[in-house]
């Protein structure tokens, strides 16, 4: 309770700083029209569909009876809670919805963690891929960036080669029955509820030994989703006259903000994400000071619009059951 209160206070303080220092131009809301709303909501729907599908293919390994419609409903509700309730228990809610009256509950819950992990890995990969560009945009690391840029082809080849090696190693790890048996045998020496839970989670992880293709599809879709998120930000930036903000700049900024969001400083990282996005965009755009935080704020607003129907329908259905 104390931690939640601290987060709320931090969120309130950040909003005050944003307003006080004109980090966000709230007049951008006047520029919202039907065409912009239609474009962004359509792209967000696509994000939700792809996000549901990338989770669904992991779920099917754990429970073949789960239908895509059920996965989408649970994913949409969890996604909505993250925006409507500012990051409160979105993953927990969708897990609870999907495991009701189903077998292999640990495996299903594990699929949520693996889905998150693969999404996080895709974001780390994007940052590493564009690291020379990032270093080149920062004054005190420009020389290092120029060195990387002069060897950009070998750098990119080495990055993709490393990714391939990682995927092959991960496949080897999943298919190592000897490692599976030794690890489980070692853990069984310790008698506790936590260790028992860890054993169940590890067993669920090893069920993906014959599903490396599904892991690869999930990873590919994670990259696609990041491109679509950036497209949303890019379209919004044009509507509010930030014509020179750059697609790659927004891709990098968005990904770094999402990585930072792993540490929940405020509820839903409201204020934190907007300030972080603004500062990163400032660095990547040659220190040109614009109210970049307005772009991210509008993206958050459209996600909240998209989320409202799910939360309302769920609570109406929940109330009608009583």
């Amino acid at each position: 309770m104390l931690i939640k209160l601290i987060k709320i206070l931090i969120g309130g303080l950040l909003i005050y700083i944003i307003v006080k220092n004109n980090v966000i131009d709230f007049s951008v809301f006047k520029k919202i029209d039907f065409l912009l709303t239609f474009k962004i909501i359509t792209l967000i729907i696509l994000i939700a569909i792809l996000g549901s599908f990338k989770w669904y293919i992991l779920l099917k390994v754990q429970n073949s009876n789960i239908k895509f419609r059920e996965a989408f409903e649970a994913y949409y509700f969890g996604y909505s809670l993250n925006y409507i309730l500012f990051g409160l228990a979105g993953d927990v809610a969708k897990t609870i919805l999907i495991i009701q009256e189903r077998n292999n509950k640990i495996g299903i819950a594990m699929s949520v963690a693996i889905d998150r992990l693969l999404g996080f890995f895709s974001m780390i990969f994007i940052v590493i891929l564009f690291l020379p560009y990032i270093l080149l945009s920062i004054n005190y690391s420009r020389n290092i960036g120029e060195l990387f840029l002069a060897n950009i082809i070998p750098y990119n080849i080495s990055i993709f080669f490393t990714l391939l090696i990682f995927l092959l190693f991960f496949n080897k790890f999943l298919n190592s029955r000897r490692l599976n048996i030794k690890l489980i045998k070692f853990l069984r020496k310790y008698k506790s509820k936590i260790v028992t839970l860890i054993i169940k989670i590890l067993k669920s992880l090893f069920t993906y030994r014959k599903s490396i293709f599904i892991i690869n599809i999930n990873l590919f879709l994670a990259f696609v989703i990041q491109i679509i998120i950036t497209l949303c930000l890019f379209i919004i930036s044009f509507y509010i006259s930030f014509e020179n903000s750059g697609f790659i700049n927004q891709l990098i900024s968005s990904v770094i903000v999402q990585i930072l969001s792993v540490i929940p400083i405020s509820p839903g990282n409201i204020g934190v994400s907007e300030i972080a996005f603004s500062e990163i965009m400032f660095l990547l755009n040659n220190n040109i000071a614009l109210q970049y935080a307005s772009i991210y704020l509008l993206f958050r607003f459209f996600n909240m619009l998209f989320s409202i129907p799910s939360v309302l329908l769920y609570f109406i259905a929940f109330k009608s059951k009583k």
Side-chain angles (χ1 to χ4, degrees), residues 253 257 260 271-281:
S253 301
V257 167
L260 293 175
V272 178
S273 298
E274 283 76 9
I275 291 174
F277 183 82
S278 179
E279 289 300 312
I280 298 165
M281 286 290 289

Side-chain angles (χ1 to χ4, degrees), residues 23 43 64 93 116 126 131 220 222 230 248 252 254 308 310:
V23 176
L43 288 172
S64 59
R116 281 290 188 182
I126 289 171
L131 185 60
F220 171 75
T230 307
I248 298 300
I252 295 168
S254 171
I308 290 170
S310 173

